[in-house]
Amino acid sequence: MNLAMRDKAVNWHPYTQMKTAEDVIPIVKGKGAYLFDEDGKKYIDAVSSWWVTLHGHSNPYIAQKVFDQLNILEQVIFAGFTHEPAIKLSENLLRLLPKNQEKVFYSDNGSTAVEVALKMCIQYAYNQGKEKTKILAFKNAYHGDTFGAMSVSGRSVWTKPFGEMLFEVVFIDTPNAENIERLKNEIKSCKDEIACFIYEPLVQGAAGMLMHQPEHLSELMKFCKMQNILLVQDEVFTGFGRTGNLFAADYLLEKPDIMCFSKGLTGGTMPMGITTCSQDIFNAFLSEDQYKTLFHGHSFTANPLACTAALASMELLLKEETLENINLISNKHLKFSKILQQHPKVENVRHIGTILAWDYKTGEGTSYFNDIRKKLYQEFLSRGILIRPLGNVMYLVPPYCITSQELDFIYRNILSVMDQLKA
Ligand SMILES: *Cc1c(COP(=O)(O)O)cnc(C)c1O
């Protein structure tokens, strides 16, 4: 039996209707921007394998560091114990974040980083004898797939079966020059019940790479602060260079109380989540009273291998050549976006840093399930490019090691596929 058949017998894949899904592609090797299947066909990974891979697949520097750490200490309970990789990673990360971020809490992925943030905010109020149990979030938000993270995400086909069980969230539009005063009024009318405002800064990834302007988000953040609403900035996707700056925070005038990280955190090599917070949040849990403890932890909290991978990835990220290549990607995306705009089948071209997105005009609305998605996906795969549209939204989120030539190859094929599907 080949790998695809053996897989079908035993595996249940994420976000996949297993009855109608095409056969999966067994990948046997990754190198740089490329994935190789069992027949030796190679694919350029234009989506960084669900937005996680920063420095290419099987990066030798990260691999060596993880291998060395594996031979020193692979795992240790993080309650009552610590280790240098976690200490160093926290020190190095905090140095890059807004100055008010002072404590680091480890977990396993983006969803858990969000869960921890929400629990911090709700218990922050509880520990001070206040009851604030509602959350403020953006419409179309995506913060993960566990129950808390799902609750603060926009209601959609993904959350429908769980509708009644999700907790209460006040959803507002993303801000722009026209609606900002209305949004402030909406917040004001329920401010006393709101524990926190959670948001994807500048880019709503899973909703289809929807973008809003830093000045409007900054204004909204400032307003929430005045209303004593804690700010949770979910940088799970935008963190570590994605938006052209190291963090989306670098575009914003206000500082969040809490930040969430995952995806690019380890350069896409190992699952890990981080929630950072201000001293003020941390202090609200300090007490002789055991009930004020943050009772949260995962078996693999601050796993030394994942911390080591993150340290190595951050070292690579801060190298001159990486930052230069992030700039190169951004500049090339910008140029290509001008060409894309001219195409009759393209609308709403949007770009920030290494992220380029546009809508493919379908004439049949923007359902996540439309057929065009499947057609585009398969066509790009046959041309050796991994692009995974969200409904009719197409986007590129390449690893930072991608070359100018490889980007040109992708751009050329995009135009050719769009022309071909014009009929
Ligand atoms: C992907 C994502 C998450 C969830 O992360 P997982 O590691 O998939 O659980 C949370 N927030 C944002 C903004 C994301 O893009």
Side-chain angles (χ1 to χ4, degrees):
M1 268 208 294
N2 68 22
L3 289 175
M5 282 165 75
R6 281 166 56 197
D7 180 273
K8 202 169 200 149
V10 292
N11 287 337
W12 189 346
H13 288 265
Y15 280 92
T16 304
Q17 174 45 260
M18 297 299 292
K19 185 173 169 79
T20 51
E22 306 268 338
D23 281 351
V24 291
I25 300 169
I27 295 298
V28 294
K29 193 176 113 159
K31 194 79 217 146
Y34 291 95
L35 296 165
F36 297 83
D37 74 12
E38 59 179 345
D39 304 321
K41 184 176 162 86
K42 64 177 184 176
Y43 305 84
I44 292 194
D45 188 350
V47 296
S48 295
S49 282
W50 257 349
W51 326 343
V52 301
T53 309
L54 299 194
H55 312 295
H57 292 282
S58 308
N59 182 283
Y61 184 72
I62 301 178
Q64 186 62 49
K65 291 280 184 180
V66 171
F67 178 76
D68 294 345
Q69 182 61 40
L70 194 46
N71 286 301
I72 298 168
L73 175 69
E74 85 303 347
Q75 161 69 0
V76 60
I77 176 174
F78 205 60
F81 292 85
T82 192
H83 49 85
E84 197 176 6
I87 297 165
K88 228 165 132 181
L89 176 56
S90 299
E91 290 171 348
N92 290 4
L93 177 62
L94 290 177
R95 230 174 269 139
L96 302 177
L97 298 182
K99 292 282 165 286
N100 70 332
Q101 298 299 298
E102 299 203 45
K103 289 288 183 290
V104 177
F105 194 99
Y106 287 92
S107 65
D108 298 345
N109 54 63
S111 302
T112 56
V114 167
E115 297 288 338
V116 169
L118 296 175
K119 285 171 84 167
M120 280 179 179
C121 291
I122 290 166
Q123 195 175 345
Y124 174 85
Y126 172 90
N127 282 1
Q128 298 174 75
K130 297 175 193 154
E131 198 183 330
K132 288 188 175 188
T133 52
K134 283 190 191 168
I135 315 277
L136 184 66
F138 281 142
K139 288 173 190 165
N140 296 313
Y142 179 77
H143 296 289
D145 286 347
T146 51
F147 264 86
M150 195 166 46
S151 291
V152 294
S153 299
R155 302 293 180 264
S156 71
V157 288
W158 301 343
T159 60
K160 197 159 188 294
F162 317 103
E164 294 296 304
M165 308 175 77
L166 304 179
F167 50 74
E168 211 179 332
V169 176
V170 177
F171 289 107
I172 56 171
D173 289 316
T174 49
N176 55 49
E178 285 75 50
N179 72 5
I180 186 105
E181 291 308 320
R182 171 171 60 81
L183 300 185
K184 288 183 191 171
N185 283 331
E186 286 176 31
I187 296 169
K188 207 164 187 175
S189 69
C190 55
K191 67 179 171 72
D192 294 329
E193 301 160 275
I194 303 283
C196 66
F197 171 35
I198 183 167
Y199 52 93
E200 294 161 272
L202 309 184
V203 190
Q204 294 186 289
M209 303 294 162
L210 305 177
M211 298 184 192
H212 52 269
Q213 296 302 316
E215 63 262 35
H216 301 131
L217 180 59
S218 292
E219 193 176 339
L220 208 56
M221 291 166 73
K222 187 172 175 188
F223 183 77
C224 285
K225 276 200 166 159
M226 287 179 349
Q227 311 298 323
N228 286 318
I229 295 170
L230 295 175
L231 298 174
V232 178
Q233 191 156 304
D234 179 353
E235 294 230 23
V236 167
F237 172 45
T238 52
F240 304 99
R242 263 302 153 214
T243 63
N245 276 334
L246 280 184
F247 298 95
D250 300 330
Y251 289 96
L252 300 167
L253 300 172
E254 300 294 322
K255 297 180 179 69
D257 299 284
I258 294 179
M259 298 178 79
C260 303
F261 306 95
S262 188
K263 292 206 165 96
L265 171 60
T266 62
T269 58
M270 294 204 158
M272 185 162 72
I274 279 181
T275 311
T276 62
C277 72
S278 65
Q279 192 67 39
D280 176 48
I281 303 269
F282 182 76
N283 286 349
F285 292 74
L286 300 179
S287 173
E288 300 297 320
D289 179 356
Q290 288 295 336
Y291 283 90
K292 294 194 174 174
T293 307
L294 181 62
F295 290 111
H296 191 102
H298 300 277
S299 314
F300 285 99
T301 299
N303 172 258
L305 301 174
C307 289
T308 300
L311 277 166
S313 174
M314 271 167 53
E315 238 183 277
L316 294 177
L317 177 64
L318 296 175
K319 280 194 162 178
E320 195 70 27
E321 59 190 270
T322 310
L323 299 174
E324 273 169 16
N325 216 46
I326 289 174
N327 261 330
L328 176 116
I329 296 168
S330 187
N331 291 334
K332 286 189 71 96
H333 273 358
L334 183 62
K335 260 195 215 144
F336 181 60
S337 73
K338 306 242 157 84
I339 297 167
L340 259 182
Q341 261 156 10
Q342 310 297 322
H343 200 281
K345 279 281 160 188
V346 171
E347 56 191 348
N348 302 325
V349 180
R350 45 209 185 265
H351 161 243
I352 184 170
T354 67
I355 309 164
L356 174 66
W358 64 98
D359 298 350
Y360 183 86
K361 273 194 212 166
T362 60
E364 51 179 281
T366 55
S367 163
Y368 179 73
F369 297 120
N370 63 25
D371 282 349
I372 198 73
R373 184 191 165 278
K374 220 175 191 171
K375 260 194 223 152
L376 289 167
Y377 178 66
Q378 292 299 342
E379 179 58 30
F380 281 108
L381 279 182
S382 75
R383 290 166 181 246
I385 303 170
L386 170 50
I387 292 181
R388 198 183 144 91
L390 291 152
N392 69 321
V393 174
M394 303 192 56
Y395 67 89
L396 300 177
V397 175
Y400 306 156
C401 65
I402 200 162
T403 65
S404 186
Q405 292 78 1
E406 286 160 353
L407 277 172
D408 288 334
F409 172 78
I410 295 171
Y411 296 155
R412 247 193 339 268
N413 276 281
I414 287 168
L415 291 175
S416 144
V417 168
M418 305 278 244
D419 286 340
Q420 185 186 312
L421 287 182
K422 209 160 22 176

